[in-house]
Amino acid sequence: MSLTESLEDGDIAEADTEQLGFIDTVPPVESTTEDSEEATDEQLVTTIKPQEHADIWERIRAGYQLDLDIDRPRLSSQLRWFSSHPSYLDRVSKRGERYLYYIVEELEKAGIPTEIALLPIVESGFDPFGYSHGRASGPWQFIPSTGQMYGLDQTWWYDGRRDIIGSTQAAIAYLTRLHKMFDGNWLHALASYNSGEGTVMRAIRKNKKAGKPTDFWSLDLPRETRAYVPKLIALAKIIKDPEKYNYSTYSIPNKPYFDIVNIGGQIDLAQAAEMANVSIDEVYLLNPGFNQWATSPDGPHRLLMPISKAKKFRAKLAEIPSKERVTWVRYSVKAGDNLLLVAKQHNTTVNVLQDVNKMSSSMIRVGQELMIPVAGNNIESYTLSSHQRLLAKQSKAPNRNRIKINYTVNSGDSLWSIANKYKTDTKTLARWNNMGLGDPLMPGKKLVLWLEPDQSKNSDSTRSVIKKVVYTIRSGESLAVVANKFKVSINDIREWNPKVSSKKYVQPKRQSHSSCKRGRWLNNQQKGLI
């Protein structure tokens, strides 16, 4: 299930950030000056009281159960790489800071070795939006079928594979089952988590038949799995004795980072962020399962909030009636409308319109009035929603010598046929568009390709031309307003104007570089020169 590429013994590489989802670096934890609220197998693990340990790493060490006294070439190569890349360890630790306390707490409750709290580093680099070519998603990297097996719903509104609570509980259930299946052998269970229990069972049967040992290190397993377990053990050894590997752990307090708030129904995420006085990005990073601008109308009806903000959020929530937690518009059906078209125009789904308007079918008539839930803010301000993350991914040039080509999928197209037409490979094409190789490719879907200049000359797809515009921000304007005015994204403006990117608000008279389109598309290679 891992995102990292499989390697031969003796080789290791950092997890491919292009594979790790829509964002390369998860924003750091937000600081606050407010006082925190009080947080409401083979061997048994005693639950450790938080105050007994100085930080989360000490608590993790206390719950170790795996045999780390191992000397294998595959393990040595992983140790060499991790110990020579302390910045990578810091980066993934910062990403995991929001989630580690909860994960460790749940592992202890389940009696699972706390080394497994490090497994999301191997799987996704602790990127909650991580998505692999094999269609695995979330911090624990569940593929669609396994996610469904463990109750992780995947809808337009919500993907439980990315939900911190749901995916952690599913991973614990799956690992517990595998541990029991392999008679208490954690290395076999971990290998099965990566490549499937059938693969490991066949390898064990093969060795038994040949009279060979059946321990993990002796099994003939896929290349990725042969590297997967050593990566986890290497991380555990480094965390156990950082000084031995010339590493100083990034300090993470041994206390809850978030609280779980029951919201009772659907709520606009921008409104929730404002009520809690946190950024919209922080709301998405704590609740990455939500794909759109609001929580799912079908649940889960909960939001994770920084523990220092949860009390204020609950109080604000109690003041707002349920019907005012989402913005509504009244739409009068026009000639030529159908329910699918209306849903697309308002960034929602047919099912939502049917549920809200108590419709038993998709038939609508001219003049009929529909109530439609819509985003309360400009849609581009929901920067980590599924659509905005995809746009950000598609706008990121792999290097400066590429030209962006926009391609609309036609009936009969496949990733292979499109890749072949533009002289690239399916894995690269999928990565440019944050797709799995098995994702459906529907007619009308918009793809991007990043081609060499000589390739793009022969392309019949839409190309990009831009010009530089210097814009003076007026009183009352936000980045979202400016972005909408010039038909670009907020992320684009931040990229072109580094001094603006670190600020939550913009001030009047600040000159902002924008890009005015000639034709339909923006060229990210040229934008970098602005």
Side-chain angles (χ1 to χ4, degrees):
M1 298 168 74
S2 171
L3 283 171
T4 52
E5 290 295 325
S6 55
L7 301 165
E8 298 287 2
D9 287 4
D11 293 332
I12 183 171
E14 176 180 344
D16 183 354
T17 53
E18 288 295 333
Q19 282 188 290
L20 290 182
F22 299 93
I23 51 179
D24 291 329
T25 305
V26 174
V29 164
E30 294 186 348
S31 61
T32 176
T33 57
E34 299 182 32
D35 292 332
S36 297
E37 303 168 18
E38 288 191 14
T40 56
D41 311 331
E42 296 168 6
Q43 298 177 10
L44 295 176
V45 176
T46 302
T47 302
I48 309 298
K49 293 181 180 180
Q51 59 266 34
E52 291 182 8
H53 300 296
D55 66 9
I56 200 66
W57 304 117
E58 187 176 310
R59 186 176 180 184
I60 289 173
R61 293 179 200 115
Y64 273 17
Q65 296 182 34
L66 303 181
D67 179 11
L68 303 183
D69 189 18
I70 302 169
D71 184 14
R72 298 274 180 167
R74 276 183 277 166
L75 176 58
S76 298
S77 66
Q78 308 296 336
L79 282 168
R80 281 195 301 272
W81 192 89
F82 283 125
S83 60
S84 63
H85 291 79
S87 61
Y88 175 72
L89 294 175
D90 285 348
R91 189 157 64 250
V92 294
S93 297
K94 290 174 184 177
R95 290 175 183 168
E97 183 170 0
R98 292 175 175 86
Y99 321 121
L100 265 170
Y101 179 91
Y102 173 79
I103 290 171
V104 173
E105 187 96 337
E106 296 306 304
L107 290 175
E108 289 176 347
K109 290 177 185 177
I112 291 177
T114 49
E115 293 98 323
I116 290 174
L118 308 174
L119 197 60
I121 298 178
V122 181
E123 287 286 350
S124 64
F126 259 124
D127 182 350
F129 301 112
Y131 190 67
S132 76
H133 293 313
R135 303 184 69 197
S137 185
W140 294 93
Q141 287 293 283
F142 278 94
I143 61 173
S145 58
T146 309
Q148 289 168 352
M149 187 185 305
Y150 285 90
L152 302 178
D153 294 335
Q154 297 148 55
T155 68
W156 184 80
W157 284 101
Y158 169 79
D159 189 337
R161 297 175 299 164
R162 295 199 307 266
D163 184 282
I164 301 306
I165 303 295
S167 68
T168 299
Q169 294 299 331
I172 287 173
Y174 188 22
L175 284 162
T176 300
R177 172 176 166 266
L178 292 171
H179 181 246
K180 183 177 180 180
M181 180 182 296
F182 289 96
D183 300 322
N185 189 311
W186 272 116
L187 298 196
H188 286 167
L190 288 164
S192 299
Y193 188 87
N194 176 252
S195 61
E197 52 265 44
T199 300
V200 177
M201 284 180 171
R202 284 190 294 271
I204 290 173
R205 285 197 298 266
K206 180 181 176 182
N207 275 26
K208 280 183 177 179
K209 189 175 180 179
K212 296 179 180 179
T214 59
D215 62 284
F216 165 78
W217 306 98
S218 302
L219 297 180
D220 182 15
L221 294 168
R223 288 173 56 197
E224 181 181 339
T225 309
R226 287 170 61 79
Y228 179 85
V229 173
K231 286 177 184 176
L232 178 65
I233 295 176
L235 286 167
K237 286 174 75 72
I238 292 172
I239 295 302
K240 182 179 181 180
D241 191 359
E243 291 184 5
K244 179 179 178 180
Y245 299 97
N246 298 314
Y247 179 61
S248 177
T249 54
Y250 171 79
S251 180
I252 298 178
N254 181 34
K255 61 182 181 180
Y257 179 81
F258 61 76
D259 198 358
I260 304 172
V261 180
N262 179 14
I263 55 176
Q266 191 176 29
I267 189 170
D268 188 304
L269 293 175
Q271 185 179 18
E274 184 177 351
M275 290 162 61
N277 192 29
V278 297
S279 70
I280 185 69
D281 282 2
E282 182 71 5
V283 173
Y284 274 112
L285 287 164
L286 282 175
N287 302 275
F290 295 120
N291 293 326
Q292 308 304 329
W293 49 269
T295 62
S296 171
D298 300 320
H301 297 312
R302 64 169 182 249
L303 275 179
L304 308 188
M305 285 291 178
I307 201 162
S308 61
K309 306 288 187 177
K311 184 176 181 179
K312 176 186 290 186
F313 177 63
R314 284 192 178 95
K316 294 273 188 180
L317 191 67
E319 298 172 359
I320 301 176
S322 298
K323 63 181 180 180
E324 295 180 14
R325 296 175 186 176
V326 175
T327 302
W328 298 86
V329 298
R330 189 182 297 276
Y331 180 79
S332 182
V333 176
K334 301 177 178 61
D337 278 347
N338 60 58
L339 208 56
L340 178 60
L341 178 64
V342 174
K344 285 185 175 180
Q345 288 173 340
H346 292 87
N347 197 37
T348 187
T349 67
V350 169
N351 287 340
V352 169
L353 295 185
Q354 289 176 318
D355 290 343
V356 166
N357 294 279
K358 302 195 177 350
M359 301 168 63
S360 58
S361 75
S362 59
M363 298 294 293
I364 54 177
R365 64 182 186 278
V366 175
Q368 179 179 352
E369 292 198 335
L370 301 174
M371 292 301 295
I372 305 175
V374 296
N377 287 13
N378 185 298
I379 201 66
E380 290 187 341
S381 67
Y382 300 83
T383 49
L384 292 179
S385 67
S386 177
H387 181 63
Q388 294 303 316
R389 284 185 281 113
L390 176 58
L391 291 180
K393 178 71 174 180
Q394 291 181 325
S395 296
K396 184 177 180 180
N399 59 59
R400 293 186 177 183
N401 297 319
R402 298 282 179 137
I403 292 177
K404 181 179 177 182
I405 299 298
N406 298 276
Y407 184 86
T408 302
V409 175
N410 299 308
S411 179
D413 277 346
S414 66
L415 279 180
W416 181 87
S417 65
I418 298 170
N420 188 56
K421 178 179 180 180
Y422 291 97
K423 295 181 174 56
T424 186
D425 59 86
T426 55
K427 186 174 287 189
T428 301
L429 177 58
R431 185 173 67 244
W432 287 336
N433 294 278
N434 214 82
M435 295 175 61
L437 294 176
D439 284 355
L441 200 60
M442 305 301 292
K445 183 179 179 67
K446 306 294 184 182
L447 300 179
V448 302
L449 299 99
W450 292 94
L451 306 183
E452 299 286 355
D454 57 339
Q455 287 179 279
S456 64
K457 291 176 184 177
N458 302 320
S459 169
D460 55 1
S461 298
T462 311
R463 292 184 59 191
S464 308
V465 181
I466 69 166
K467 68 176 181 178
K468 177 178 175 181
V469 174
V470 178
Y471 180 76
T472 302
I473 295 171
R474 297 176 174 82
S475 179
E477 287 187 331
S478 64
L479 289 184
V481 170
V482 178
N484 187 55
K485 181 176 293 188
F486 288 94
K487 308 299 182 188
V488 297
S489 73
I490 293 174
N491 287 340
D492 286 334
I493 294 179
R494 286 174 171 161
E495 181 182 342
W496 301 329
N497 301 271
K499 291 183 180 179
V500 174
S501 64
S502 61
K503 298 183 180 297
K504 188 172 182 180
Y505 302 101
V506 292
Q507 300 297 323
K509 297 184 180 180
R510 178 182 296 280
Q511 288 191 332
S512 176
H513 295 289
S514 187
S515 296
C516 185
K517 288 189 252 183
R518 293 176 179 173
R520 292 179 59 194
W521 307 99
L522 293 171
N523 184 319
N524 226 39
Q525 176 193 351
Q526 293 171 293
K527 285 190 291 192
L529 302 177
I530 292 174

